Amino acid sequence: MDTQFLNTFVHVVDRGSMAAAARYLNITPAAVAQQIRTLERELGAPLIARAGRTVCVTEPGARILQRARDLLRDVADLRSVANDRALSGELRLGACPTALAGMLPDVLARMVNVLPQINVFIKPGYSAELYADVERGDLDAAIVLQAPFALPKTCDWEVLREEPLIVLAPQHLAHRDPHALLAEEPLIRYDRHQWGGRQADDYLRRVGIVPRERFELNALNAIAVMVDRGLGVSLVPDWQQPWPAGLRLARLPLPEPTEPRRIGIVWSTASVRSRLVAALREQCRTVARASTRDEATVSE
């Protein structure tokens, strides 16, 4: 049995259509359909039920789905086990949007320089789903926001960066009191359904500010551009560069203490790629320290 066909089956199920799986795998939809038919013949059972452009997994397909995932993960582990003396193989890494644009490129640059034999699979996503991926063993590690819940014993966590809440305002409003800005100017709200946005919402509630809301979104760079265009002010974490170029913004500290947003790395303690994860953590620490020093220099 060709494990690539199993991989195609898993992607068809996860993405809900053969066309979407084909785009992800960079093959034609006809090739996806052929691989699924071949797999169904070898197993003697239908795995996918087709309904127009979408598909759903059949009962036999559902029974083998988790075993297929486990088998594919074991196959990926073979290279790491075979090359135990050298740090090589595939590292499966998740990254939340802030880390993906900020810290991760510098971490990867250091990783491939120090460990040229490794391959890194990167899954973008929101922190909550990436925690679940690490817990299931689908990812070895993820750079994410700190979870508002206790981690299972199979996972561990390390803080890399703390980002205090700030009021983001157009430069010409830099002289105004931060609380007055939040109370009087239209608010571009950082999505309160996401972990980072909840901290901002908690602060507004604690200090008794009822803002005049205008927009709500979970995209910090877009919020910065909207503030620059005079659409309002925002209460956001002081996130890591790069920021959009050419913006004239004031980053105002809050007068009341608040918990910072924490970004760190969560990893599976059961991963066979523990040495690669340890190397990743070392590079993450190095990049985080360098970023903190650079920001301190700029603020001075």
Side-chain angles (χ1 to χ4, degrees), residues 95-99 125-128 130-131 142-149 151 157-159 161 163 190-191 194-199 218 220 237 239 260-266:
C96 67
T98 300
Y126 292 124
S127 294
L130 295 177
Y131 271 97
I143 303 176
V144 288
L145 305 185
Q146 184 176 26
F149 51 76
L151 295 182
W157 156 266
E158 179 179 353
V159 175
R161 175 181 172 85
E163 299 176 336
Y190 185 29
D191 186 358
Q194 304 298 329
W195 293 347
R198 291 178 197 168
Q199 289 178 300
N218 185 36
L220 291 172
W239 75 95
R261 184 177 77 160
R262 295 181 176 91
I263 294 179
I265 181 169
V266 61

Side-chain angles (χ1 to χ4, degrees), residues 59 109 152 166 217 219:
E59 184 177 343
I166 57 169
L217 67 159

Side-chain angles (χ1 to χ4, degrees), residues 62-108:
R63 285 199 295 267
I64 72 162
L65 182 59
Q66 186 55 51
R67 291 193 179 187
R69 294 187 196 278
D70 294 341
L71 177 59
L72 291 169
R73 189 164 55 244
D74 289 343
V75 169
D77 288 343
L78 288 177
R79 184 175 179 184
S80 295
V81 174
N83 293 276
D84 188 56
R85 294 183 180 180
L87 285 178
S88 62
E90 181 183 69
L91 180 69
R92 299 182 63 82
L93 177 64
C96 67
T98 300
L100 196 64
M103 179 183 299
L104 186 59
D106 290 334
V107 171
L108 293 177

Side-chain angles (χ1 to χ4, degrees), residues 117-129:
Q117 296 183 14
I118 68 165
N119 299 314
V120 183
F121 168 84
I122 303 166
K123 178 181 179 180
Y126 292 124
S127 294
E129 64 184 80

Side-chain angles (χ1 to χ4, degrees), residues 31-295:
V32 170
Q34 179 60 43
Q35 290 181 16
I36 295 297
R37 285 196 296 269
T38 300
L39 189 61
E40 289 175 332
R41 270 199 312 272
E42 291 181 347
L43 294 176
L47 304 177
I48 296 293
R50 300 158 183 82
R53 296 185 178 180
T54 62
V55 299
C56 61
V57 64
T58 64
E59 184 177 343
R63 285 199 295 267
I64 72 162
L65 182 59
Q66 186 55 51
R67 291 193 179 187
R69 294 187 196 278
D70 294 341
L71 177 59
L72 291 169
R73 189 164 55 244
D74 289 343
V75 169
D77 288 343
L78 288 177
R79 184 175 179 184
S80 295
V81 174
N83 293 276
D84 188 56
R85 294 183 180 180
L87 285 178
S88 62
E90 181 183 69
L91 180 69
R92 299 182 63 82
L93 177 64
C96 67
T98 300
L100 196 64
M103 179 183 299
L104 186 59
D106 290 334
V107 171
L108 293 177
R110 294 184 61 87
M111 286 284 288
V112 298
N113 184 53
V114 175
L115 304 170
Q117 296 183 14
I118 68 165
N119 299 314
V120 183
F121 168 84
I122 303 166
K123 178 181 179 180
Y126 292 124
S127 294
E129 64 184 80
L130 295 177
Y131 271 97
D133 288 337
V134 173
E135 184 178 350
R136 285 195 305 267
D138 294 339
L139 295 175
D140 302 303
I143 303 176
V144 288
L145 305 185
Q146 184 176 26
F149 51 76
L151 295 182
K153 293 181 179 179
T154 55
C155 296
D156 212 341
W157 156 266
E158 179 179 353
V159 175
L160 298 172
R161 175 181 172 85
E162 292 189 341
E163 299 176 336
L165 287 176
I166 57 169
V167 174
L168 200 62
Q171 186 63 54
H172 71 274
L173 297 179
H175 64 285
R176 297 274 303 277
D177 176 74
H179 279 186
L181 288 172
L182 291 171
E184 298 167 11
E185 298 293 326
L187 179 70
I188 304 169
R189 184 186 280 276
Y190 185 29
D191 186 358
R192 76 197 90 184
H193 298 99
Q194 304 298 329
W195 293 347
R198 291 178 197 168
Q199 289 178 300
D201 188 55
D202 289 343
Y203 182 87
L204 291 171
R205 292 175 183 274
R206 181 159 56 84
V207 299
I209 294 176
V210 180
R212 187 157 55 95
E213 297 182 30
R214 177 169 279 176
F215 306 104
E216 183 169 0
L217 67 159
N218 185 36
L220 291 172
N221 280 351
I223 289 174
V225 174
M226 294 166 75
V227 171
D228 177 73
R229 301 300 190 268
L231 294 175
V233 301
S234 192
L235 180 59
V236 291
D238 193 9
W239 75 95
Q240 185 177 0
Q241 302 286 347
W243 286 32
L247 305 185
R248 294 177 55 82
L249 300 172
R251 296 154 57 211
L252 307 177
L254 293 170
E256 297 291 332
T258 184
E259 279 291 306
R261 184 177 77 160
R262 295 181 176 91
I263 294 179
I265 181 169
V266 61
W267 67 93
S268 169
T269 56
S271 172
V272 299
R273 291 175 285 274
S274 59
R275 296 172 67 206
L276 282 180
V277 172
L280 170 71
R281 290 168 54 203
E282 180 180 354
Q283 301 308 325
C284 284
R285 290 189 211 105
T286 301
V287 169
R289 286 194 297 266
S291 173
T292 300
R293 287 196 301 269
D294 292 344
E295 291 174 359

